Amino acid sequence: MSDDVFSYQNDFQNSKEAWLSFKANSNNSYKYVVSGGTGMSNLSWETTITVQEGEIVQRHFIYEGDIEGLPEDELEWTENEGEINTHESYVAAPAITMDEVYHKAENEWLVESSNVTTYFQVDYRGLLSTCGYVRNGCADDCFVGIHIKSIVAL
């Protein structure tokens, strides 16, 4: 646990306990979907990270919506072992494990600050679904953190 005070500390601890239980029950093998989008257009995207026994084995990315001008190979792609995180995309979620997501939540996204609004939500199982912050005064697409659409055991 970080020595710093952070937002949603009790809720975070409960979610981390739910995660550790899920991780044990799934043999640390799962996939999760990170979703994103822009409020300025009807554009969204998803990155699916697949973890097998604690090791990332695949990252899949796809744009959704009306996309013009992007090459076909940038609209959807899959990275397998040995090539994880080789596509350079500013919108695709990096391939990190859920343990790393919880670490970033505790040490970066939920650290209290007077100039941000912090967000923290869990799914029906208590697993992290939204975690991050928006700097006060930012107008659009300013969220720093993660939106997890789903987490399923393999």
Side-chain angles (χ1 to χ4, degrees):
M1 180 62 81
S2 170
D3 291 336
D4 297 328
V5 175
F6 63 96
S7 300
Y8 299 98
Q9 196 158 1
N10 290 336
D11 293 336
F12 174 83
Q13 266 316 113
N14 291 339
S15 180
K16 190 170 183 180
E17 288 174 20
W19 160 246
L20 293 174
S21 176
F22 178 92
K23 178 180 165 181
N25 291 333
S26 68
N27 194 31
N28 203 10
S29 297
Y30 56 91
K31 68 178 175 180
Y32 70 99
V33 179
V34 179
S35 61
T38 177
M40 300 171 76
S41 68
N42 191 21
L43 184 60
S44 63
W45 51 85
E46 290 185 348
T47 308
T48 302
I49 310 296
T50 304
V51 177
Q52 187 75 45
E53 296 180 354
E55 298 295 321
I56 297 168
V57 296
Q58 188 176 81
R59 178 171 78 147
H60 175 259
F61 175 81
I62 185 168
Y63 271 109
E64 298 172 342
D66 202 15
I67 300 149
E68 294 181 24
L70 277 179
E72 194 70 31
D73 63 343
E74 290 182 32
L75 298 178
E76 181 174 6
W77 43 262
T78 300
E79 299 168 335
N80 293 303
E81 287 181 278
E83 58 186 17
I84 304 295
N85 285 330
T86 58
H87 282 82
E88 294 192 19
S89 167
Y90 73 96
V91 296
I96 61 176
T97 65
M98 284 299 299
D99 286 326
E100 292 170 298
V101 169
Y102 273 90
H103 180 80
K104 287 177 78 72
E106 182 177 8
N107 294 287
E108 296 175 32
W109 301 327
L110 296 177
V111 175
E112 286 189 356
S113 174
S114 60
N115 65 339
V116 301
T117 301
T118 306
Y119 299 91
F120 182 81
Q121 295 176 338
V122 296
D123 69 9
Y124 68 96
R125 300 165 296 179
L127 301 176
L128 196 148
S129 63
T130 296
C131 182
Y133 63 87
V134 173
R135 294 210 180 279
N136 296 342
C138 187
D140 192 29
D141 297 332
C142 305
F143 183 78
V144 176
I146 196 165
H147 294 290
I148 298 176
K149 183 177 177 180
S150 66
I151 304 172
V152 296
L154 296 181

